[in-house]
Amino acid sequence: MSIWSTMLKNKQKKRKNDNVRQHNDPQKPEEQPIQRNYEDNVSRIKGELGNSTDLLFREYQIGDHKGTIVYVDGLANGQLINDFFNETLLNSGFNGNQDPFQFLIEKAAGLGNFQFATEWNQVFDSFLSGNTLFFLDGYNQAINVETKGWDKRSISEPSTQLSIGGPKDSFTETIRTNTALIRRRIKSPNLWLESMKLGTVAQTDIAIMYIKGIANEKIIGEVKERLNQINIDAVMAEGYIEQLFEDQTWTPFPTTHHSERPDVIASHLLEGRIAILVDGTPFVITVPAIFAQFFQAPDDYYARFDISTSLRILRILAFLIALMGPALYIAATTFHQEMIPTTLAIAIASQRENVPFPAFIEALIMEVTFEILREAGLRLPRAVGQAVSIVGALVIGQAAVQAGIVSPIMVIVVSITAIANFSTPTFMMAIAARLIRFAMMALATFLGLYGIVLGLMFMSIHLCALRSFGIPYMMPIAPFNAQNQQDIFIRYPIWAMKYRPKFISKGNLVRAGDNQKPMPPKQEDSQDSKGES
Amino acid sequence: MMRKTMMIFLLIGLFMPILSACWNQKELTDLAFVMAMGIDKGENRRFQVSFQIVIPGNVASGQGGGGGGHGLPIAVYTSSGDTITEAARRATQKISRRLYYAHTNLIAVSEEVAKDGLLDILDALDRDPEFRTTTEIVVARKTSAEKLVSALANLDKLPVNKVTKEIESTEALLGENMRVNIDEFINGLISHGREPITNGYKISGNQNMSGKSDDLKNTRSEAVLSSSGLAIFRNGKLEGWIDREKARGVVWIMDKVKSTSINIDWNGKKNAITMAPIRSKTKVAVNIKQGKPVVNVAIEFEGWISEANTTVDLTDPKVIEKIDKSVANEIEKQIQSTITEVQKKKSDIFGFGERIHRKNPKLWKKIKGNWNERFAELEVNVKVDSFTRREGIRTKPFWYDINQ
C-alpha cells in the first residue's frame, strides 16, 4: 500500500472526527429563556460574569415596574447612555395608561437601533459586544439597543506596506471601519458582506466580502465551509485564520494574501478574490492567492507600465538574489573556482587567506548574525533601536573582518542578500526566501551549483504542487495561460488589461471597454472644435 | 503518517552530506593558482616544468589581504618528469596546495623543446578539463622557459597579465604579434594545408636579474619581458623565426591588423610621412592557372596620416593620391618580403593550402603530399589599395612656415 493512499485516508478520518466534535461542543451554552422576574435576571447576569466590575447597572422605574439597563463600561458609548438616561428615561412622563414595556420601547428607539432578546445567549452576546440591554420587571423580554462606542485607533498611514503613490490610508482594528473603507472604494450593490463569529470563547467578528457576479461561487462556498470548520477558542488575528484554513501547511510559501491597504484589498475584490476581515486586526486576508501576486506592489498600478514592469523584474531578480546569493558564493568559491574571473578569484583567495572557517561556516555565521540583528531590531523598543543598528553595523561590518572571522567579500554578499530580501513587497514571501536560503546554502556546500539546481528543481516542483483554494499556485505560469499574462512578469498598460484573471473570477470577465488606449485628437476633429482642447 | 514521510525526508537530508562526501569540494585557500607554466628540457627526465603560482595575499591590495602588496606576487616551483602529468605530480612534493590550472593563462615552451616538437606536450593541455584551451602559448626565445615564467613586471602585478595583455596590445597597435591559444595552435597542427605559428617571448636586458624583487625597485628594470617575433612551426617542430616588418606581413595576410604604422619617403626625405590604418581588409583568393594554383592577396587599406615631417600639401587630392600609391607600394613590398621569407622556411603558416583545398579538392589531393615543398615555389600576387581618409587636425604641416 502506498504512502499516499494511507495519508489520504487518515486525512478523511480526521475530517469526520472534526465534524463529530463540533456537534457536541461542551462550551456552547444551551438555550435558556429570560425570566419574568427582573431581580432574578440581574443576579443571574452578575453571577455569570462573576460580579465583574466593568459591568454597569442603572435602575429606573416606569410606573410601578422597576427596571435596569445593563452595559459594559468602555464597550458601550457611556456618554450617550448617560445623556439618554438622565434626560429621557428619568423625565419619562409616564402617565400610567400605556403598557410600560411598550412605553420603554418607544423611548429606547431614540437611543439607537434595537432588537428584542429573549434568550440568555442573546443577552450575553449583545452587551459583551457593546450593546445596552433594557430589562423591565414582569417581562420575559429585554430590549437590546446598539450602543457600540469603544475607543478606537483612527485611520493612519500604512506602516508595513508603503508606497510612493496612491492612497495613504490603512485598515484599523475595528471591523466596521474596515468594511467602510472598502465600501467607500467600491460603491456597488454587488459588493456583498457576510458576517459570522469565530472563536468559541472570544466570539470574534468575521466578515466575508466579495463582489457578487465577479467572484467564483465555488470558492465562496469553499471559504465559508472552511471557516465553519474552524473550532478554536479564539481568533486573535488574521494569522490564526490563515493557518487554520490554508490548503497546505507544510510549505514556506504563503498561500493566502493579506494586506493592510484598502486599495489593495479593493483591487483584489475586483479581480474576483474573496476578502476575509477579522475584528481586532488591521490586516485583511484575500484568497485565492497566486505566487506572482506576492511580487505585485501597489505602486505598480499607480505608475506607467514601463516603469512598473522594470521595477517588477527588478523585484523578481532581488528575490532570486535573496534566495541564492550566499549559496552561489559558496558554490563558486568551493566548487567552481574556474567560473570566477582570475583577478577576482585571487582577490577572494587573498581575503579568505586569514579566515579560519570554510566558506559555508563563514556564510552561516554572517547570515545568522544578520538574522539575529534583524529580529532584535524588530522587537527592541524604539529608544534602544539606534544602539542596535550601531552595534550591528560594527559587528557585521568592520570588526568581524578585522577580527579575521569573515572576509570582506562575505560581508558584501550578505549585505546584498539582506537588502534584496527587503525589496519583496510582501513580508510573508520575503520570509519564505529567507528560510529557503539556508537550505540552498547547505545544498551548495555539499553539491555546488548542481545542488543549487537540485534545490531550485525541488522548489519548482513544490510550488507547482501548491494550491490556494483549488487554484494552482503557479497560475498562470504553470499551467501556462497565454491570455492571463497581463499582470505577471510584464504589467501591461491599464488600457490593455481588458479582462479579469480568468482562473480566479467567474462570469463577468470584462474589466475595461474597447479602445481604451489614449490617443491624440483626430486631425479633422481638432480643426472643427478649435480652442476646445 | 505525516511523521513517517517527514522522517524519510529528514533522513535523506541527513545522509546527503555524508553520501556526497563534499564531492569535488575545494576551498579557495587550499588551491595554488597556476598562472603560467614553463616547459624546458630536463636533465634526467624529459621535461622540466616550472609552475608560476600566484600568492594571493601579495597581489590583492587593501586591508583585507592582511597588509599585503609588499611581498612578491608569484612563486615559481620546478619539477621534472617524462610527461607533463608526471612533472605536475612530482611538483606536489614541493607545493603545499593543490595545483589548480583553471586560471592558467600562459604556456611558455623553451626553444629547445620547441625544436624537438610540441606534439608530446599538447595532449596533456588539451585533455585536462581544468585547462582552458584559450590559454596562450609562447616560445621562450634565447632564454629558458623557467626564467620567462619567473620574471617579474613593474606595471602589472601578475607577470602573466603583462605577457597576455602585451601580446593583445601589440596585435592591436603594432601588428607584429597575434594571440595564439592552444586551441588555435592545435588546429594549425592537424590541418594539412596550414602550419601553426605562435609568439616568441624574450627577456631583454640582464637575464640574471629576472625574478629578483630588487629589479622591481628600478624604474628601468634590468630584465624586461618583451615579445619578440613569430615562431614558425613545421610538423610540430620549431622551424625558425620571423621578425619585425616581416612578422607584420604575416599578421597582415592573416587579416588581423587593427593598427600599425607605415612610413613612406617624400620629397627625397626618408620616412617622411607616417600612415596609420583605420580599417584594413585582407582577402585571399586562389586561382588555378594551367593546373597550378596561384594565390592572390588583395588588401584594402584605409588610413590616416599620423605624421607628415616635410612640406606636403595635404589639401591637394593629387598629393593624397600619390601618398596612397606609395603607401600601397610600401605595404606590398613588406608583404612580398614576408612571403619570400616564409617560403624559404617551407612552412605554410598562412593556410594557403586550406584555401586551395576548398577551391579545388581534386587538385589538392594531388599536391597535398609534398605541399610544403610546393608552397615554397607557389606564385603569390599581392595587390594593395590604399585610401587616405583623414589627415588629423592639421592640413598643412608647420614645415611650410619653416621653409618659407
Side-chain angles (χ1 to χ4, degrees):
Chain A
M1 190 154 152
S2 79
I3 299 172
W4 302 115
S5 58
T6 27
M7 269 175 64
L8 219 69
K9 272 200 178 159
N10 276 15
K11 219 174 196 177
Q12 282 165 352
K13 252 188 232 164
K14 242 187 184 170
R15 273 263 160 99
K16 265 181 205 159
N17 287 346
D18 283 348
N19 290 344
V20 169
R21 202 170 358 146
Q22 208 161 28
H23 280 301
N24 42 19
D25 187 352
Q27 286 174 311
K28 226 168 197 169
E30 292 156 49
E31 292 193 353
Q32 288 173 328
I34 302 176
Q35 308 295 308
R36 279 186 187 276
N37 187 339
Y38 113 97
E39 302 267 346
D40 285 355
N41 289 340
V42 169
S43 63
R44 168 148 193 187
I45 293 173
K46 283 185 175 168
E48 292 253 351
L49 270 88
N51 275 323
S52 296
T53 44
D54 59 344
L55 201 62
L56 296 186
F57 297 88
R58 292 190 74 171
E59 295 187 355
Y60 54 87
Q61 190 147 11
I62 295 173
D64 42 355
H65 292 271
K66 272 173 112 185
T68 185
I69 59 168
V70 187
Y71 65 95
V72 176
D73 195 17
L75 286 185
N77 190 338
Q79 184 70 40
L80 192 74
I81 295 168
N82 261 341
D83 290 352
F84 169 79
F85 197 82
N86 294 335
E87 286 162 25
T88 317
L89 207 57
L90 291 184
N91 313 323
S92 62
F94 180 66
N95 51 21
N97 302 334
Q98 266 178 296
D99 176 32
F101 195 69
Q102 199 59 42
F103 175 79
L104 188 61
I105 292 170
E106 279 170 20
K107 292 284 172 194
L111 182 57
N113 202 7
F114 73 92
Q115 285 175 321
F116 295 108
T118 51
E119 284 163 23
W120 281 110
N121 293 345
Q122 289 174 322
V123 168
F124 289 120
D125 269 1
S126 56
F127 70 77
L128 285 177
S129 49
N131 290 1
T132 305
L133 280 167
F134 288 74
F135 287 98
L136 198 62
D137 193 25
Y139 293 89
N140 62 347
Q141 270 187 325
I143 305 168
N144 171 10
V145 186
E146 252 184 54
T147 52
K148 282 181 185 133
W150 51 78
D151 289 332
K152 50 191 176 188
R153 196 163 61 91
S154 59
I155 297 170
S156 58
E157 282 195 23
S159 55
T160 57
Q161 292 170 320
L162 305 175
S163 76
I164 307 294
K168 297 266 182 218
D169 54 350
S170 73
F171 290 123
T172 69
E173 280 77 8
T174 321
I175 193 165
R176 200 42 73 218
T177 315
N178 295 352
T179 53
L181 279 173
I182 296 172
R183 273 226 192 267
R184 261 178 53 200
R185 286 184 163 76
I186 306 171
K187 298 175 193 80
S188 161
N190 288 335
L191 178 62
W192 286 15
L193 189 148
E194 289 177 37
S195 290
M196 61 190 295
K197 280 181 196 277
L198 272 187
T200 46
V201 176
Q203 295 286 322
T204 311
D205 286 312
I206 307 283
I208 306 165
M209 278 182 116
Y210 53 87
I211 299 179
K212 184 80 179 166
I214 293 176
N216 189 342
E217 294 290 341
K218 259 191 192 167
I219 302 177
I220 299 172
E222 180 70 24
V223 169
K224 283 187 210 160
E225 199 194 313
R226 289 193 197 179
L227 284 174
N228 280 326
Q229 287 212 345
I230 294 175
N231 179 16
I232 191 172
D233 57 348
V235 175
M236 287 288 111
E238 81 289 347
Y240 277 57
I241 290 185
E242 282 180 322
Q243 289 171 65
L244 283 166
F245 84 162
E246 62 192 349
D247 289 53
Q248 170 67 276
T249 297
W250 296 102
T251 175
F253 296 100
T255 51
T256 57
H257 188 271
H258 63 237
S259 173
E260 61 168 343
R261 298 179 60 99
D263 53 330
V264 170
I265 300 299
S267 64
H268 282 180
L269 286 172
L270 284 166
E271 283 182 345
R273 290 196 173 85
I274 296 143
I276 295 123
L277 293 85
V278 183
D279 193 31
T281 171
F283 290 95
V284 175
I285 309 166
T286 53
V287 290
I290 56 166
F291 185 68
Q293 187 186 342
F294 293 90
F295 297 96
Q296 300 167 345
D299 278 332
D300 282 4
Y301 306 94
Y302 305 143
R304 235 185 308 106
F305 78 100
D306 44 357
I307 298 161
S308 313
T309 302
S310 20
L311 286 179
R312 187 171 291 176
I313 289 166
L314 188 75
R315 255 178 253 136
I316 294 170
L317 184 77
F319 179 74
L320 292 177
I321 292 173
L323 202 63
M324 302 186 292
L328 284 174
Y329 170 77
I330 292 171
T333 53
T334 53
F335 287 95
H336 314 285
Q337 291 89 354
E338 69 276 3
M339 284 179 56
I340 314 170
T342 309
T343 323
L344 183 62
I346 293 167
I348 297 174
S350 81
Q351 289 175 6
R352 304 219 353 93
E353 205 78 51
N354 299 322
V355 178
F357 307 112
F360 174 61
I361 304 292
E362 189 192 356
L364 205 63
I365 290 174
M366 282 307 284
E367 281 292 336
V368 169
T369 313
F370 181 77
E371 294 298 334
I372 292 170
L373 274 171
R374 172 150 46 174
E375 190 60 20
L378 208 65
R379 310 264 162 255
L380 268 166
R382 226 164 258 167
V384 217
Q386 226 165 15
V388 168
S389 50
I390 291 166
V391 169
L394 284 177
V395 167
I396 68 169
Q398 203 75 10
V401 171
Q402 279 178 352
I405 297 170
V406 293
S407 54
I409 189 119
M410 193 69 233
V411 176
I412 295 174
V413 169
V414 170
S415 317
I416 287 180
T417 311
I419 293 298
N421 199 207
F422 285 120
S423 67
T424 309
T426 30
F427 182 71
M428 281 302 159
M429 188 51 88
I431 213 161
R434 261 162 85 183
L435 212 58
I436 298 169
R437 185 195 306 154
F438 285 93
M440 285 289 187
M441 276 159 63
L443 280 168
T445 313
F446 300 125
L447 297 167
L449 272 185
Y450 171 63
I452 295 179
V453 171
L454 216 62
L456 283 180
M457 270 167 62
F458 265 110
M459 201 180 95
S460 334
I461 292 170
H462 175 68
L463 280 172
C464 289
L466 281 181
R467 271 160 193 276
S468 174
F469 285 82
I471 309 294
Y473 195 47
M474 291 308 279
M475 204 76 184
I477 305 159
F480 186 76
N481 186 333
Q483 275 118 51
N484 287 311
Q485 297 292 324
Q486 292 139 336
D487 199 12
I488 308 301
F489 296 111
I490 296 168
R491 209 275 281 160
Y492 280 35
I494 296 286
W495 46 262
M497 285 201 265
K498 209 185 150 197
Y499 300 103
R500 302 196 167 87
K502 207 166 71 184
F503 49 92
I504 297 173
S505 91
K506 276 275 138 55
N508 181 6
L509 281 174
V510 181
R511 193 204 309 249
D514 289 325
N515 302 325
Q516 287 296 297
K517 187 181 175 185
M519 298 265 200
K522 276 182 191 163
Q523 212 62 40
E524 312 101 56
D525 289 355
S526 63
Q527 278 172 355
D528 289 347
S529 55
K530 255 181 198 170
E532 229 174 75
S533 60
Chain B
M1 208 56 223
M2 200 65 213
R3 192 171 292 167
K4 198 168 173 184
T5 39
M6 286 296 290
M7 280 297 285
I8 292 170
F9 275 106
L10 198 70
L11 277 180
I12 293 174
L14 285 177
F15 270 122
M16 198 182 63
I18 303 166
L19 294 178
S20 67
C22 299
W23 156 83
N24 211 12
Q25 191 188 25
K26 39 197 192 286
E27 285 286 332
L28 266 179
T29 41
D30 298 333
L31 297 179
F33 289 97
V34 177
M35 299 308 291
M37 253 168 80
I39 301 169
D40 286 297
K41 210 167 195 169
E43 281 171 22
N44 301 324
R45 299 198 181 80
R46 193 167 165 200
F47 299 119
Q48 189 195 338
V49 184
S50 315
F51 300 92
Q52 186 195 92
I53 289 162
V54 68
I55 306 173
N58 291 343
V59 175
S61 53
Q63 45 172 252
H70 302 304
L72 289 170
I74 53 164
V76 174
Y77 294 92
T78 52
S79 72
S80 55
D82 287 327
T83 62
I84 300 293
T85 313
E86 192 193 338
R89 298 293 145 147
R90 277 184 200 283
T92 56
Q93 288 177 322
K94 297 178 183 167
I95 305 168
S96 59
R97 297 180 182 190
R98 180 190 183 285
L99 289 173
Y100 189 64
Y101 301 100
H103 290 283
T104 308
N105 279 336
L106 184 73
I107 305 287
V109 183
S110 77
E111 251 178 307
E112 266 178 303
V113 174
K115 271 178 187 150
D116 283 354
L118 293 182
L119 297 179
D120 290 338
I121 294 170
L122 290 169
D123 191 61
L125 310 179
D126 194 35
R127 190 175 297 277
D128 189 338
E130 248 178 39
F131 257 107
R132 289 171 191 241
T133 46
T134 51
T135 305
E136 264 173 60
I137 185 162
V138 299
V139 177
R141 198 172 179 187
K142 290 175 196 150
T143 181
S144 68
E146 184 190 346
K147 278 210 172 116
L148 199 75
V149 296
S150 319
L152 293 168
N154 252 338
L155 195 56
D156 302 86
K157 273 203 165 155
L158 286 175
V160 69
N161 279 355
K162 139 120 197 165
V163 175
T164 52
K165 280 185 184 168
E166 192 267 326
I167 292 175
E168 204 174 320
S169 74
T170 317
E171 180 184 329
L173 297 171
L174 183 66
E176 286 182 12
N177 289 94
M178 48 190 274
R179 277 183 288 172
V180 177
N181 60 37
I182 293 181
D183 208 27
E184 287 161 353
F185 193 84
I186 292 177
N187 274 343
L189 265 182
I190 56 175
S191 166
H192 289 294
R194 185 152 63 95
E195 292 292 347
I197 50 169
T198 188
N199 295 293
Y201 234 84
K202 68 175 181 190
I203 295 172
S204 53
N206 184 356
Q207 289 203 13
N208 292 329
M209 284 303 280
S210 153
K212 289 193 178 136
S213 68
D214 285 347
D215 200 21
L216 287 182
K217 287 177 186 148
N218 304 332
T219 51
R220 253 172 349 119
S221 298
E222 285 181 40
V224 177
L225 279 168
S226 64
S227 65
S228 165
L230 291 169
I232 295 178
F233 283 79
R234 193 168 73 204
N235 301 328
K237 289 176 183 163
L238 179 66
E239 192 58 37
W241 294 93
I242 190 157
D243 286 306
R244 279 185 274 280
E245 278 86 8
K246 286 172 185 161
R248 195 186 300 175
V250 174
V251 180
W252 220 307
I253 294 172
M254 308 279 239
D255 195 20
K256 288 198 175 167
V257 166
K258 290 192 193 90
S259 187
T260 177
S261 67
I262 297 120
N263 303 336
I264 54 168
D265 306 341
W266 199 261
N267 290 349
K269 189 178 173 185
K270 265 202 154 248
N271 300 335
I273 295 178
T274 304
M275 212 39 168
I278 300 166
R279 274 178 292 273
S280 162
K281 179 86 198 143
T282 308
K283 278 183 188 156
V284 178
V286 176
N287 282 333
I288 313 292
K289 226 191 245 167
Q290 295 154 353
K292 267 190 171 177
V294 175
V295 174
N296 294 316
V297 179
I299 294 173
E300 221 177 87
F301 172 90
E302 291 170 53
W304 68 290
I305 291 164
S306 65
E307 273 184 56
N309 297 319
T310 179
T311 34
V312 54
D313 184 11
L314 297 175
T315 52
D316 187 354
K318 277 180 191 157
V319 173
I320 296 290
E321 212 170 278
K322 239 172 116 187
I323 293 175
D324 284 347
K325 224 168 240 166
S326 43
V327 167
N329 279 339
E330 178 66 26
I331 298 172
E332 242 174 70
K333 214 168 70 194
Q334 277 183 18
I335 292 176
Q336 276 297 358
S337 73
T338 303
I339 290 171
T340 344
E341 179 82 16
V342 175
Q343 279 181 329
K344 259 187 235 162
K345 302 227 157 55
K346 294 184 179 170
S347 175
D348 178 14
I349 55 172
F350 307 117
F352 289 159
E354 274 182 1
R355 287 176 189 277
I356 295 169
H357 187 181
R358 254 175 260 159
K359 177 89 185 174
N360 194 335
K362 274 185 195 160
L363 176 71
W364 174 245
K365 241 178 208 170
K366 268 190 269 171
I367 60 176
K368 178 167 110 175
N370 56 346
W371 167 243
N372 275 333
E373 300 297 324
R374 281 179 187 255
F375 168 75
E377 287 136 30
L378 188 69
E379 187 187 338
V380 182
N381 302 318
V382 181
K383 190 171 170 292
V384 181
D385 285 321
S386 169
F387 305 98
T388 307
R389 295 295 186 216
R390 279 173 232 153
E391 296 89 28
I393 54 170
R394 291 279 174 274
T395 45
K396 280 186 181 175
F398 64 82
W399 292 80
Y400 263 107
D401 302 327
I402 291 175
N403 291 352
Q404 263 169 13

